[in-house]
Amino acid sequence: AFVVFIGIAGCSLIQNQDNQIENITAQGNNYFSEHVKPIFDNKCIACHSCFNSPCQLKLSSYQGAIRGAHELSIFDIPKLESREPTRMFIDHHSEKAWRKKGFFPVLGDKDKSLMSVMVSDLDGIESGKQKIFKAEESRECMSENSPLLLDDYEELNPAGRMPYGFPGLSQEEINKIKTWQELKLPGPSLEDYEKKVRNHIAFKQQ
């Protein structure tokens, strides 16, 4: 995150900050790929990468992060009726389409988004408030209409900061996620992603 110094800051410091913002903005789509995705890959996708990801939040791709989460747990399967699938890159492709299906954003305001709250504002494993971590018994997905009401989640998970049951992200990692949100979530388009997939497949077939 960038700190704005008012009044006491010298012109050189302000100019340096402006240069930093310009440099990051100039990276465009690369900021997610170079700074945010490595965090998700190292700390998040052990749980948030499959079709049965908690709260259907997939962080294995840019499109999954933008799609967001759903209050309907994929584990709560109806016994007598089918459920419409929500497969990434198959059932829907646009953020607007996913919103119509009840997915709500976890990204947005760098300090108040659900993502920022979950990785920085909640108590973690080091608090000692929770001795046993049973994700299957303590899951709670936020409501589509009020995703920042965490009372139910915190009651079931008194040490529920993400990554759940593990040491928290470093301040540097948190700052990178918040900076990405401050930059309005730039990232690769679906066309760029599909192009990379095609190139990867073609390379492996050589």
Side-chain angles (χ1 to χ4, degrees), residues 2 24-25 27-38 175-181 183 186:
F2 298 106
I24 291 178
T25 304
Q27 294 180 43
N29 297 347
N30 289 333
Y31 191 83
F32 171 80
S33 299
E34 294 180 4
H35 299 285
V36 179
K37 193 174 187 303
N175 288 344
K176 287 180 178 179
I177 292 174
K178 288 187 175 183
T179 296
W180 176 51
Q181 293 176 90
L183 295 173

Side-chain angles (χ1 to χ4, degrees), residues 114-122 161-163 168-169 174 177:
L114 187 58
M115 173 73 72
S116 295
V117 170
M118 294 295 284
V119 301
S120 61
D121 292 351
L122 303 181
R161 185 192 59 212
M162 293 291 128
L169 301 183
I174 293 171
I177 292 174

Side-chain angles (χ1 to χ4, degrees), residues 13-25:
L13 290 177
I14 295 176
Q15 182 62 46
N16 182 58
Q17 181 196 25
D18 289 341
N19 290 339
Q20 287 180 316
I21 293 175
E22 289 179 3
N23 290 337
I24 291 178
T25 304

Side-chain angles (χ1 to χ4, degrees), residues 139-150:
R139 62 181 183 268
E140 178 72 26
C141 297
M142 315 307 165
S143 167
E144 174 187 357
N145 298 317
S146 52
L148 290 180
L149 295 180
L150 303 174

